[in-house]
Amino acid sequence: MSIIKSSGYAFFAVLPLTFMGCSATMVSTRGDSKSPYAPANETEHPGGMIKYSNHGADSIIRKRRENAYKQMYDFCGGRYAITSEGPRSEGGSAFPVGDSVAYHEHQYWYISFDCQKTP
């Protein structure tokens, strides 16, 4: 019985990772605001920040990054430059394993980018 139980917990721990998909999420943008309170130079320096899950098989992570590239390209209407990137942790999930609790930290890869003017 305990083998089935722990296998079930392992299944539910992996399940969220399986359905995280191959897409990135645009976290913030600048340069597209229609606010009358936006800074005067906002439209001069459009860009933003995007993130994707840093967990899973290498092929899945590459697909997420490719999706991030496409979203940045689409937002900028063409050329863009990555200004910084790196990992960040965002919470996690706890689940019971026998008499203890296992914790899985959610890791994301963040990319900050600036749109480039086309020559």
Side-chain angles (χ1 to χ4, degrees):
M1 178 102 168
S2 64
I3 294 173
I4 295 171
K5 216 174 195 184
S6 24
S7 295
Y9 290 132
F11 171 76
F12 287 115
V14 174
L15 192 61
L17 297 176
T18 306
F19 294 106
M20 290 180 107
C22 295
S23 63
T25 303
M26 190 70 71
V27 177
S28 64
T29 59
R30 63 182 186 285
D32 58 344
S33 174
K34 306 293 184 231
S35 171
Y37 307 109
N41 66 346
E42 182 182 282
T43 56
E44 295 171 20
H45 303 288
M49 184 172 290
I50 195 164
K51 72 176 184 177
Y52 58 88
S53 173
N54 207 18
H55 286 288
D58 288 343
S59 61
I60 300 296
I61 294 172
R62 281 193 301 273
K63 286 180 183 180
R64 291 179 190 137
R65 186 171 183 93
E66 187 66 23
N67 181 263
Y69 286 165
K70 182 179 181 330
Q71 288 188 50
M72 291 183 285
Y73 183 90
D74 289 347
F75 175 79
C76 292
R79 297 176 41 171
Y80 62 91
I82 292 174
T83 56
S84 66
E85 62 181 301
R88 290 190 193 171
S89 296
E90 290 185 13
S93 302
F95 52 93
V97 178
D99 292 335
S100 61
V101 174
Y103 182 77
H104 172 76
E105 188 174 71
H106 298 254
Q107 279 277 332
Y108 289 88
W109 193 260
Y110 276 74
I111 301 173
S112 181
F113 68 97
D114 290 335
C115 298
Q116 303 292 297
K117 294 178 181 171
T118 50

